């Protein structure tokens, strides 16, 4: 299979943003700057969902592109 030039997708960029937001939120909670609450759990679940969606999107999208290049 030939190399396929990849580019970040919208869901991947959203995922990265949520991962950083979650990181900063956890650090702020542990430092005592923010109160912990249900919002952290919601942010964690949302971030996990974007991780799964982003990974699945890459496998499907770039797998298709690689298959198209292979069939040429």
């Amino acid at each position: 299979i030939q190399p396929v030039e990849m580019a970040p997708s919208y869901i991947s960029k959203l995922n990265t943003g949520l991962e950083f937001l979650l990181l900063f939120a956890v650090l702020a909670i542990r430092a005592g700057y923010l109160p912990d609450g249900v919002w952290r759990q919601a942010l964690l679940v949302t971030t996990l969902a974007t991780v799964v969606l982003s990974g699945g999107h890459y496998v499907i999208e770039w797998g298709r592109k690689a298959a198209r290049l292979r069939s040429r």
Side-chain angles (χ1 to χ4, degrees):
I1 297 177
Q2 298 175 348
V4 178
E5 188 172 326
M6 298 178 70
S9 65
Y10 172 75
I11 189 73
S12 172
K13 290 180 179 188
L14 175 64
N15 176 59
T16 301
L18 287 172
E19 286 175 338
F20 276 105
L21 183 61
L22 180 60
L23 171 66
F24 293 135
V26 169
L27 290 173
I29 290 167
R30 297 298 294 161
Y33 294 119
L34 284 175
D36 197 2
V38 177
W39 66 271
R40 184 192 43 85
Q41 192 83 356
L43 180 58
L44 179 63
V45 169
T46 303
T47 304
L48 177 60
T50 62
V51 167
V52 172
L53 290 172
S54 177
H57 179 262
Y58 272 116
V59 169
I60 292 168
E61 187 66 27
W62 298 105
R64 284 181 189 161
K65 289 184 182 197
R68 275 189 235 125
L69 283 175
R70 186 176 183 185
S71 66
R72 289 184 183 176

